[in-house]
Amino acid sequence: ESYLRYAKVSNAMFVVPPAPPPAAAPLADVVVMVIGESASAQRWSLLGYTGNPTNAALEPWRSSMVALPVHTNGNNTAQTVPVLLTGQAMDQLPATGVATYLDKARSAGFSVATHSNQRSFGVGQSFFFTAFRQRSDQFTVQQDGQFDGNLSALLDQQLHTTARTQRPSLITLHLYGSHPRVNKRYPAEFAKWDDPYDNSLAYTSALLADWMAQLNRITDKRVLLVYISDHGLSFANCGGSYVHGATRSAYEVPLLLWGNAPFRQSNAAWWQQWQARSQHALLPDGRLRYTNLLAPLALDDVLGVNATTRLPAAPAADAWTAYRYPPEDGARQCAVWKPYDLPVVLKQAGAVQ
């Protein structure tokens, strides 16, 4: 997504249209959507990284989760969060506004809470704050400089509210994750390795594991956690530090789903479908099969909404076919990456399998 395209249509994010009613009963009683920041799939040990064990904290949860790498549509938060919110490419947002997963959840009877550790960078890039504030029953933003772990207490409060009210709940946690100046994104006890980016990813993994453990204690409700990073970063070997950039690592991100036992048992066929997707996340030639639109598709399913998102497989083989996942050639890592244009792909025929 180009920045000009974003600037042209971003005002549509401020218009709140009626949300479609659910077409089916929700699959979950508690949904936790975790939007990560600047995490590249190329540095997730669960997804093929052979350096530091960045996802060691998640290893005990392998049997109850699926994880796969996907293409994201941009290399900064302003480009990608609207796509995660709406399940549509930016150039498809009408002036009359578009329903987000927050609106769909409210239409399905869910209470909606959003807790953010993100920063506001001025009016031009604060649309997601406005969208979260407008469309959530409860919205909080952490003070600058706080670690993402501060969101744990807010999650705990929301879960207590859910237990008290017995109302289904959607909780969004928007992380600051591995945002540049990555050495400032984790507490001192997570400075395990010389690589600050890997340290930041390990911290996020530890938080996800803690939240899974917390949610796993809920035995009388179907609970699903979805995690996806908005985008990745260009790596230090490509310019001296971890920054927003246009290299391949900025466009390949991790997607993770975790469900408690009641959720997996109640939705066995659905869960098996996601296990199959994770096992076939790569095309035969090694390219990534899916895009970040897989996350809003999952939310549509779980909220009982007729899925409007269509995710065809990656385009036919072309000059990028040689770029298999995970990367094998360090030199190519630093080349300007030109992933397929998401709006064009969305217009192609085909659907997710």
Side-chain angles (χ1 to χ4, degrees):
E1 304 287 337
S2 71
Y3 183 81
L4 288 178
R5 181 184 293 148
Y6 153 70
K8 180 179 179 181
V9 301
S10 61
N11 283 341
M13 287 296 300
F14 300 99
V15 180
V16 184
L27 303 183
D29 308 300
V30 177
V31 180
V32 179
M33 174 63 169
V34 183
I35 301 177
E37 167 71 55
S38 299
S40 175
Q42 294 183 19
R43 288 294 186 87
W44 263 43
S45 55
L46 281 176
L47 300 178
Y49 178 49
T50 57
N52 296 312
T54 52
N55 302 126
L58 294 173
E59 288 290 344
W61 299 99
R62 270 185 177 269
S63 64
S64 55
M65 71 183 187
V66 296
L68 63 158
V70 298
H71 281 293
T72 189
N73 65 289
N75 61 359
N76 63 65
T77 303
Q79 295 171 337
T80 57
V81 170
V83 171
L84 297 177
L85 281 167
T86 66
Q88 299 184 35
M90 287 292 289
D91 69 341
Q92 297 176 325
L93 299 187
T96 54
V98 63
T100 67
Y101 71 77
L102 307 167
D103 304 304
K104 296 171 184 177
R106 295 180 73 176
S107 179
F110 283 65
S111 65
V112 176
T114 301
H115 302 293
S116 175
N117 195 34
Q118 279 279 327
R119 311 294 187 263
S120 179
F121 299 101
V123 174
Q125 287 186 311
S126 63
F127 67 90
F128 49 87
F129 284 102
T130 301
F132 285 136
R133 183 178 294 111
Q134 283 180 317
R135 301 163 193 246
S136 301
D137 300 312
Q138 183 179 357
F139 175 67
T140 65
V141 180
Q142 298 295 292
Q143 294 182 348
D144 286 1
Q146 300 298 311
F147 295 126
D148 287 336
N150 276 28
L151 299 175
S152 296
L154 295 169
L155 174 61
D156 187 62
Q157 292 173 16
Q158 293 297 152
L159 295 177
H160 277 88
T161 299
T162 298
R164 185 180 70 252
T165 63
Q166 292 299 305
R167 184 181 175 190
S169 297
L170 169 72
I171 304 164
T172 299
L173 304 177
H174 196 180
L175 311 186
Y176 210 37
S178 301
H179 192 277
R181 295 207 292 168
V182 294
N183 62 312
K184 298 185 179 296
R185 306 297 167 235
Y186 50 86
E189 60 267 29
F190 280 86
K192 302 176 182 179
W193 308 304
D194 292 337
D195 191 316
Y197 190 62
D198 285 4
N199 291 334
S200 69
L201 295 174
Y203 178 51
T204 296
S205 295
L207 290 177
L208 290 172
D210 287 347
W211 296 337
M212 290 175 187
Q214 187 175 8
L215 295 169
N216 200 47
R217 291 192 287 271
I218 302 174
T219 58
D220 60 339
K221 293 181 174 62
R222 301 163 299 170
V223 182
L224 177 71
L225 179 146
V226 179
Y227 167 86
I228 187 169
S229 184
D230 54 0
H231 57 82
L233 292 179
S234 290
F235 293 160
N237 63 301
C238 298
S241 61
Y242 292 98
V243 295
H244 290 87
T247 58
R248 177 180 175 181
S249 57
Y251 290 93
E252 295 178 340
V253 299
L255 170 62
L256 178 150
L257 279 72
W258 172 88
N260 70 348
F263 178 88
R264 300 193 313 275
Q265 292 164 3
S266 298
N267 305 292
W270 188 89
W271 190 253
Q272 289 170 4
Q273 182 183 44
W274 277 89
Q275 289 177 317
R277 285 175 181 162
S278 69
Q279 294 163 5
H280 299 90
L282 304 184
L283 293 167
D285 59 21
R287 292 173 299 137
L288 298 188
R289 184 183 297 273
Y290 298 118
T291 75
N292 58 343
L293 288 174
L294 210 53
L297 178 72
L299 293 176
D300 274 357
D301 283 349
V302 171
L303 296 173
V305 177
N306 272 330
T308 56
T309 305
R310 292 292 176 265
L311 301 179
D318 56 21
W320 298 102
T321 298
Y323 290 83
R324 300 175 62 85
Y325 182 92
E328 300 173 356
D329 187 334
R332 285 179 175 172
Q333 265 194 351
C334 299
V336 174
W337 182 246
K338 297 179 180 178
Y340 56 81
D341 185 56
L342 186 58
V344 172
V345 173
L346 284 170
K347 294 172 185 175
Q348 297 175 353
V352 170
Q353 300 299 317

mmCIF file of all heavy atoms in Angstrom, residues 289-310:
data_model
loop_
_atom_site.group_PDB
_atom_site.id
_atom_site.type_symbol
_atom_site.label_atom_id
_atom_site.label_comp_id
_atom_site.label_asym_id
_atom_site.label_seq_id
_atom_site.Cartn_x
_atom_site.Cartn_y
_atom_site.Cartn_z
ATOM 1 N N ARG A 289 2.361 -18.510 0.939
ATOM 2 C CA ARG A 289 1.066 -18.701 0.285
ATOM 3 C C ARG A 289 0.061 -17.608 0.650
ATOM 4 O O ARG A 289 -0.776 -17.221 -0.167
ATOM 5 C CB ARG A 289 0.491 -20.062 0.689
ATOM 6 C CG ARG A 289 -0.813 -20.413 0.008
ATOM 7 C CD ARG A 289 -1.356 -21.745 0.511
ATOM 8 N NE ARG A 289 -0.478 -22.858 0.220
ATOM 9 C CZ ARG A 289 -0.508 -23.555 -0.919
ATOM 10 N NH1 ARG A 289 -1.363 -23.238 -1.871
ATOM 11 N NH2 ARG A 289 0.320 -24.568 -1.089
ATOM 12 N N TYR A 290 0.130 -17.091 1.893
ATOM 13 C CA TYR A 290 -0.955 -16.259 2.398
ATOM 14 C C TYR A 290 -0.502 -14.842 2.728
ATOM 15 O O TYR A 290 0.693 -14.574 2.890
ATOM 16 C CB TYR A 290 -1.563 -16.893 3.657
ATOM 17 C CG TYR A 290 -2.174 -18.252 3.423
ATOM 18 C CD1 TYR A 290 -1.663 -19.380 4.075
ATOM 19 C CD2 TYR A 290 -3.253 -18.415 2.554
ATOM 20 C CE1 TYR A 290 -2.224 -20.628 3.876
ATOM 21 C CE2 TYR A 290 -3.823 -19.660 2.356
ATOM 22 C CZ TYR A 290 -3.300 -20.767 3.007
ATOM 23 O OH TYR A 290 -3.854 -21.993 2.799
ATOM 24 N N THR A 291 -1.499 -13.959 2.893
ATOM 25 C CA THR A 291 -1.256 -12.579 3.288
ATOM 26 C C THR A 291 -1.797 -12.336 4.688
ATOM 27 O O THR A 291 -2.451 -13.193 5.286
ATOM 28 C CB THR A 291 -1.944 -11.593 2.318
ATOM 29 O OG1 THR A 291 -3.356 -11.596 2.578
ATOM 30 C CG2 THR A 291 -1.690 -11.956 0.862
ATOM 31 N N ASN A 292 -1.562 -11.110 5.191
ATOM 32 C CA ASN A 292 -2.050 -10.756 6.524
ATOM 33 C C ASN A 292 -3.578 -10.693 6.591
ATOM 34 O O ASN A 292 -4.145 -10.607 7.683
ATOM 35 C CB ASN A 292 -1.436 -9.444 7.001
ATOM 36 C CG ASN A 292 -1.700 -8.279 6.069
ATOM 37 O OD1 ASN A 292 -2.067 -8.437 4.904
ATOM 38 N ND2 ASN A 292 -1.486 -7.065 6.574
ATOM 39 N N LEU A 293 -4.257 -10.757 5.461
ATOM 40 C CA LEU A 293 -5.715 -10.794 5.482
ATOM 41 C C LEU A 293 -6.246 -12.091 6.091
ATOM 42 O O LEU A 293 -7.447 -12.211 6.365
ATOM 43 C CB LEU A 293 -6.263 -10.628 4.066
ATOM 44 C CG LEU A 293 -6.124 -9.224 3.470
ATOM 45 C CD1 LEU A 293 -6.559 -9.216 2.016
ATOM 46 C CD2 LEU A 293 -6.930 -8.213 4.259
ATOM 47 N N LEU A 294 -5.366 -13.050 6.312
ATOM 48 C CA LEU A 294 -5.794 -14.276 6.967
ATOM 49 C C LEU A 294 -6.275 -14.001 8.399
ATOM 50 O O LEU A 294 -7.162 -14.697 8.908
ATOM 51 C CB LEU A 294 -4.627 -15.268 6.989
ATOM 52 C CG LEU A 294 -4.941 -16.759 6.968
ATOM 53 C CD1 LEU A 294 -5.855 -17.118 5.810
ATOM 54 C CD2 LEU A 294 -3.653 -17.565 6.906
ATOM 55 N N ALA A 295 -5.712 -12.985 9.054
ATOM 56 C CA ALA A 295 -6.112 -12.675 10.433
ATOM 57 C C ALA A 295 -7.545 -12.160 10.512
ATOM 58 O O ALA A 295 -8.353 -12.687 11.304
ATOM 59 C CB ALA A 295 -5.130 -11.687 11.065
ATOM 60 N N PRO A 296 -7.925 -11.123 9.737
ATOM 61 C CA PRO A 296 -9.338 -10.706 9.796
ATOM 62 C C PRO A 296 -10.304 -11.770 9.297
ATOM 63 O O PRO A 296 -11.453 -11.813 9.729
ATOM 64 C CB PRO A 296 -9.381 -9.440 8.933
ATOM 65 C CG PRO A 296 -8.110 -9.424 8.159
ATOM 66 C CD PRO A 296 -7.108 -10.167 8.964
ATOM 67 N N LEU A 297 -9.843 -12.655 8.407
ATOM 68 C CA LEU A 297 -10.702 -13.756 7.995
ATOM 69 C C LEU A 297 -11.012 -14.653 9.179
ATOM 70 O O LEU A 297 -12.159 -15.088 9.374
ATOM 71 C CB LEU A 297 -10.030 -14.562 6.891
ATOM 72 C CG LEU A 297 -10.828 -15.782 6.412
ATOM 73 C CD1 LEU A 297 -12.032 -15.356 5.594
ATOM 74 C CD2 LEU A 297 -9.954 -16.729 5.605
ATOM 75 N N ALA A 298 -9.999 -14.943 9.994
ATOM 76 C CA ALA A 298 -10.216 -15.763 11.188
ATOM 77 C C ALA A 298 -11.218 -15.106 12.120
ATOM 78 O O ALA A 298 -12.111 -15.766 12.675
ATOM 79 C CB ALA A 298 -8.887 -15.995 11.910
ATOM 80 N N LEU A 299 -11.095 -13.782 12.313
ATOM 81 C CA LEU A 299 -12.021 -13.073 13.195
ATOM 82 C C LEU A 299 -13.436 -13.094 12.641
ATOM 83 O O LEU A 299 -14.404 -13.240 13.394
ATOM 84 C CB LEU A 299 -11.531 -11.640 13.402
ATOM 85 C CG LEU A 299 -10.220 -11.500 14.177
ATOM 86 C CD1 LEU A 299 -9.790 -10.040 14.235
ATOM 87 C CD2 LEU A 299 -10.337 -12.075 15.578
ATOM 88 N N ASP A 300 -13.578 -12.932 11.317
ATOM 89 C CA ASP A 300 -14.902 -13.031 10.713
ATOM 90 C C ASP A 300 -15.541 -14.380 11.037
ATOM 91 O O ASP A 300 -16.710 -14.468 11.421
ATOM 92 C CB ASP A 300 -14.811 -12.859 9.194
ATOM 93 C CG ASP A 300 -14.852 -11.403 8.761
ATOM 94 O OD1 ASP A 300 -15.016 -10.525 9.626
ATOM 95 O OD2 ASP A 300 -14.712 -11.144 7.547
ATOM 96 N N ASP A 301 -14.761 -15.432 10.856
ATOM 97 C CA ASP A 301 -15.274 -16.775 11.154
ATOM 98 C C ASP A 301 -15.730 -16.882 12.605
ATOM 99 O O ASP A 301 -16.829 -17.352 12.903
ATOM 100 C CB ASP A 301 -14.173 -17.816 10.926
ATOM 101 C CG ASP A 301 -13.941 -18.144 9.466
ATOM 102 O OD1 ASP A 301 -14.761 -17.733 8.621
ATOM 103 O OD2 ASP A 301 -12.940 -18.819 9.174
ATOM 104 N N VAL A 302 -14.877 -16.456 13.511
ATOM 105 C CA VAL A 302 -15.122 -16.653 14.936
ATOM 106 C C VAL A 302 -16.298 -15.813 15.417
ATOM 107 O O VAL A 302 -17.034 -16.222 16.318
ATOM 108 C CB VAL A 302 -13.838 -16.327 15.737
ATOM 109 C CG1 VAL A 302 -14.108 -16.293 17.229
ATOM 110 C CG2 VAL A 302 -12.760 -17.354 15.427
ATOM 111 N N LEU A 303 -16.497 -14.645 14.810
ATOM 112 C CA LEU A 303 -17.596 -13.771 15.203
ATOM 113 C C LEU A 303 -18.912 -14.129 14.512
ATOM 114 O O LEU A 303 -19.934 -13.481 14.755
ATOM 115 C CB LEU A 303 -17.230 -12.316 14.892
ATOM 116 C CG LEU A 303 -16.041 -11.755 15.686
ATOM 117 C CD1 LEU A 303 -15.658 -10.372 15.170
ATOM 118 C CD2 LEU A 303 -16.344 -11.710 17.175
ATOM 119 N N GLY A 304 -18.891 -15.132 13.649
ATOM 120 C CA GLY A 304 -20.108 -15.561 12.986
ATOM 121 C C GLY A 304 -20.521 -14.676 11.837
ATOM 122 O O GLY A 304 -21.681 -14.692 11.411
ATOM 123 N N VAL A 305 -19.574 -13.920 11.300
ATOM 124 C CA VAL A 305 -19.871 -12.986 10.211
ATOM 125 C C VAL A 305 -19.648 -13.677 8.876
ATOM 126 O O VAL A 305 -18.742 -14.502 8.734
ATOM 127 C CB VAL A 305 -18.961 -11.737 10.311
ATOM 128 C CG1 VAL A 305 -19.188 -10.789 9.151
ATOM 129 C CG2 VAL A 305 -19.202 -11.033 11.633
ATOM 130 N N ASN A 306 -20.451 -13.330 7.882
ATOM 131 C CA ASN A 306 -20.170 -13.797 6.539
ATOM 132 C C ASN A 306 -18.845 -13.210 6.094
ATOM 133 O O ASN A 306 -18.700 -11.989 6.001
ATOM 134 C CB ASN A 306 -21.275 -13.339 5.568
ATOM 135 C CG ASN A 306 -22.423 -14.319 5.515
ATOM 136 O OD1 ASN A 306 -22.239 -15.511 5.713
ATOM 137 N ND2 ASN A 306 -23.617 -13.804 5.258
ATOM 138 N N ALA A 307 -17.864 -14.037 5.840
ATOM 139 C CA ALA A 307 -16.532 -13.541 5.495
ATOM 140 C C ALA A 307 -16.569 -12.808 4.160
ATOM 141 O O ALA A 307 -16.976 -13.360 3.147
ATOM 142 C CB ALA A 307 -15.536 -14.687 5.434
ATOM 143 N N THR A 308 -16.160 -11.528 4.192
ATOM 144 C CA THR A 308 -16.050 -10.761 2.953
ATOM 145 C C THR A 308 -14.632 -10.789 2.417
ATOM 146 O O THR A 308 -14.374 -10.437 1.284
ATOM 147 C CB THR A 308 -16.455 -9.289 3.195
ATOM 148 O OG1 THR A 308 -15.639 -8.751 4.251
ATOM 149 C CG2 THR A 308 -17.904 -9.207 3.613
ATOM 150 N N THR A 309 -13.699 -11.232 3.250
ATOM 151 C CA THR A 309 -12.310 -11.295 2.842
ATOM 152 C C THR A 309 -12.087 -12.495 1.932
ATOM 153 O O THR A 309 -12.525 -13.589 2.228
ATOM 154 C CB THR A 309 -11.392 -11.434 4.068
ATOM 155 O OG1 THR A 309 -11.678 -10.373 4.965
ATOM 156 C CG2 THR A 309 -9.932 -11.389 3.679
ATOM 157 N N ARG A 310 -11.396 -12.273 0.835
ATOM 158 C CA ARG A 310 -11.035 -13.356 -0.069
ATOM 159 C C ARG A 310 -9.529 -13.354 -0.222
ATOM 160 O O ARG A 310 -8.936 -12.326 -0.533
ATOM 161 C CB ARG A 310 -11.711 -13.176 -1.429
ATOM 162 C CG ARG A 310 -13.230 -13.358 -1.356
ATOM 163 C CD ARG A 310 -13.593 -14.815 -1.051
ATOM 164 N NE ARG A 310 -15.037 -14.991 -0.885
ATOM 165 C CZ ARG A 310 -15.644 -14.978 0.281
ATOM 166 N NH1 ARG A 310 -14.976 -14.762 1.375
ATOM 167 N NH2 ARG A 310 -16.951 -15.172 0.359
#
